Amino acid sequence: MHTVLIVDDEEPVIESYSFILEEGVEGFVLAGTARGGHEAISRIHELKPDVVFMDINMPGLDGLEVISRVHADFPRTVFVLSTAYERFDIAQKAIPLGVFAYLVKPVTKKTFVETLESVRAELGRRRHARDSGAEALYVDRFLREQIWKELDAGRWSEVKESLGISADTGLACFVGLDSEQEDLFARVNSGVDLKFRFVFTMHLGLGMYFFPGVADKSSVVSCVERNVAASVPKGVLSITGAGSVRSFGEFHVSCTEALAELQRKKNVTDARIRERLRVVQLRRKMGLSDCEEVRDLFSEYWSEILSTHAFPLAKAKLAALFSLLIDDATGCYQSHTEAPPPFDPVEEIMALETLADWKDWAMAAFNRVYNLARIKRTGRFPLPLVKALSFIEEAWNRQIQLSDVADNARV
């Protein structure tokens, strides 16, 4: 959630802007107000707002002088100027100070809200630029190394300054996704960013978050899980673990707690859910995705089944999988047909006596089923078109773009 400071010496302007923000503009909240230049400097240092609407003509220090004094200390803050007169000389002075927009009073509600929408896009662009540059390296080092140790006041002060953090408390959170789609966390994070300030990296194969200044663990977890549910496709397993709110000297404790909670949840649900979801993935991708990709997924599935279950039970589960795959490829178990199944997986798998026998049988059987599925699912269409149609069919109930379809068809 982005914070907004209103600076103006006219009470009706402050009341108008404040009312619009309190009424609700998605992603923004009123942090405070100021009625003069000196008060504005004090409030900016106190509140560290993301956005400042700054009047130019105020008694004492004018708006441009205020910005010139604080800009170096708050380079990430977005400043929006407002004045009763449109003057080119003011715009010239504002450009070197990084002023984002220049509004002429009276400012309508429509203009105010549209300006905030532009500010949100700019903040997102800046965040992306930071994440792809030096700050991303610092965030990565902080979350992968520094936060796991006890931080003293001096080291924490350096971190705060480098990351633009003002609070001395926070919590760690991990999210695990059983998915190959790399853009899912970007979607999740864009939603979480509307409510909480955080830093993020991928660590231990998980999405790792640090939320500074939060007071309540449950509200953070609820926000993260809600955005995961909204961003992650059905059938993708997600698990969230969060630590308790701690002071800077105990952030490593919050990290340990978050991992422990994630592991507890994983132990309860992981084996059965992952097994079921991999079966779903295999059935969806068989004949559509590249053979090598599906073969790797199949190998992961049977490797885990054979390592976690006794051989007789594992064989029964694998026979059930092949029965489903054969039915998907031929439809032989959906209705009566004169054409027999290409082979009986139950009879053949249950007769296998060793792991070596299974490996020899499995790869040949997989290739037979994949080829059958490829013929049925692609027909006369080129494979990218088949993938595109399959994606559209699965995503019929949500808004999609041409780029989404192209990405899934890998073209």
Side-chain angles (χ1 to χ4, degrees):
M1 186 70 73
H2 303 304
T3 55
V4 181
L5 175 67
I6 306 298
V7 181
D8 205 293
D9 64 338
E10 297 178 28
E11 193 64 27
V13 174
I14 289 179
E15 290 178 354
S16 175
Y17 290 176
S18 300
F19 176 79
I20 295 172
L21 286 166
E22 291 168 351
E23 189 180 35
V25 179
E26 184 181 359
F28 294 92
V29 63
L30 179 65
T33 61
R35 290 161 178 78
H38 291 290
E39 184 186 8
I41 292 175
S42 175
R43 295 290 275 169
I44 290 171
H45 279 88
E46 173 194 353
L47 299 172
K48 299 176 177 58
D50 298 309
V51 187
V52 177
F53 279 81
M54 178 76 70
D55 185 29
I56 292 179
N57 300 309
M58 295 184 295
L61 297 177
D62 67 23
L64 286 172
E65 180 63 22
V66 171
I67 296 174
S68 69
R69 293 192 183 190
V70 302
H71 178 62
D73 294 330
F74 299 92
R76 300 176 187 167
T77 299
V78 174
F79 290 93
V80 179
L81 285 176
S82 61
T83 183
Y85 303 100
E86 187 170 7
R87 290 168 45 190
F88 181 72
D89 62 317
I90 292 177
Q92 279 185 309
K93 294 177 182 178
I95 290 172
L97 298 175
V99 172
F100 177 71
Y102 176 67
L103 306 179
V104 179
K105 295 179 180 178
V107 178
T108 65
K109 177 181 178 180
K110 181 174 182 291
T111 299
F112 185 80
V113 173
E114 286 178 348
T115 301
L116 284 175
E117 294 293 341
S118 298
V119 168
R120 175 163 46 210
E122 173 66 11
L123 288 169
R125 185 194 65 77
R126 292 184 184 183
R127 178 168 187 144
H128 177 74
R130 292 198 306 272
D131 288 349
S132 60
E135 182 167 316
L137 297 176
Y138 196 95
V139 167
D140 196 61
R141 183 184 172 206
F142 170 61
L143 293 179
R144 288 173 178 267
E145 301 175 17
Q146 296 172 320
I147 198 173
W148 295 91
K149 305 171 185 177
E150 185 174 343
L151 294 170
D152 57 31
R155 178 58 60 85
W156 174 236
S157 179
E158 294 176 9
V159 172
K160 286 171 63 178
E161 182 178 354
S162 299
L163 298 183
I165 294 173
S166 58
D168 290 325
T169 60
L171 66 81
C173 178
F174 287 92
V175 175
L177 297 179
D178 187 17
S179 172
E180 301 169 0
Q181 299 185 44
E182 297 179 358
D183 63 336
L184 290 182
F185 275 111
R187 299 181 199 172
V188 173
N189 294 352
S190 64
V192 177
D193 190 45
L194 295 177
K195 188 167 184 180
F196 291 105
R197 166 86 164 90
F198 65 90
V199 290
F200 171 86
T201 193
M202 293 299 298
H203 187 38
L204 305 173
L206 307 166
M208 182 180 181
Y209 298 80
F210 174 70
F211 292 89
V214 296
D216 179 39
K217 170 183 173 179
S218 61
S219 62
V220 171
V221 173
S222 176
C223 177
V224 172
E225 291 182 340
R226 183 170 61 253
N227 281 282
V228 168
S231 305
V232 176
K234 290 181 65 177
V236 173
L237 172 65
S238 65
I239 302 177
T240 302
S244 57
V245 178
R246 298 277 181 168
S247 62
F248 65 85
E250 297 183 324
F251 287 158
H252 62 288
V253 178
S254 186
C255 292
T256 303
E257 291 172 339
L259 270 183
E261 181 175 288
L262 188 83
Q263 191 60 49
R264 283 196 299 271
K265 292 181 180 179
K266 199 166 185 279
N267 289 340
V268 171
T269 62
D270 196 25
R272 290 184 179 178
I273 292 179
R274 188 166 60 247
E275 178 183 330
R276 177 174 58 83
L277 293 180
R278 280 185 173 153
V279 170
V280 172
Q281 285 183 306
L282 278 167
R283 296 181 68 186
R284 285 179 176 173
K285 294 187 174 186
M286 185 66 73
L288 289 178
S289 298
D290 296 333
C291 184
E292 193 67 31
E293 176 188 349
V294 186
R295 186 183 292 113
D296 289 344
L297 183 61
F298 171 62
S299 297
E300 291 174 6
Y301 175 79
W302 68 253
S303 295
E304 184 165 351
I305 292 296
L306 289 169
S307 65
T308 55
H309 300 287
F311 195 46
L313 178 57
K315 289 194 295 182
K317 287 178 174 287
L318 293 166
L321 169 65
F322 268 97
S323 297
L324 290 171
L325 296 179
I326 289 173
D327 190 47
D328 291 338
T330 66
C332 61
Y333 296 122
Q334 297 177 25
S335 59
H336 176 69
T337 174
E338 296 298 326
F343 60 91
D344 189 325
V346 176
E347 289 184 2
E348 296 190 18
I349 292 176
M350 298 310 290
L352 302 175
E353 296 183 354
T354 67
L355 183 58
D357 293 339
W358 158 257
K359 290 180 178 179
D360 291 339
W361 182 90
M363 287 300 104
F366 169 86
N367 291 335
R368 291 175 65 187
V369 176
Y370 181 88
N371 290 331
L372 289 170
R374 185 70 172 265
I375 293 171
K376 178 181 179 181
R377 304 187 79 169
T378 61
R380 294 171 298 170
F381 296 144
L383 186 56
L385 178 57
V386 175
K387 291 181 178 179
L389 292 172
S390 177
F391 173 72
I392 293 169
E393 185 179 81
E394 292 179 7
W396 65 270
N397 60 343
R398 63 182 176 88
Q399 187 175 4
I400 59 175
Q401 298 179 343
L402 182 61
S403 58
D404 298 324
V405 184
D407 288 343
N408 278 270
R410 295 188 177 182
V411 296

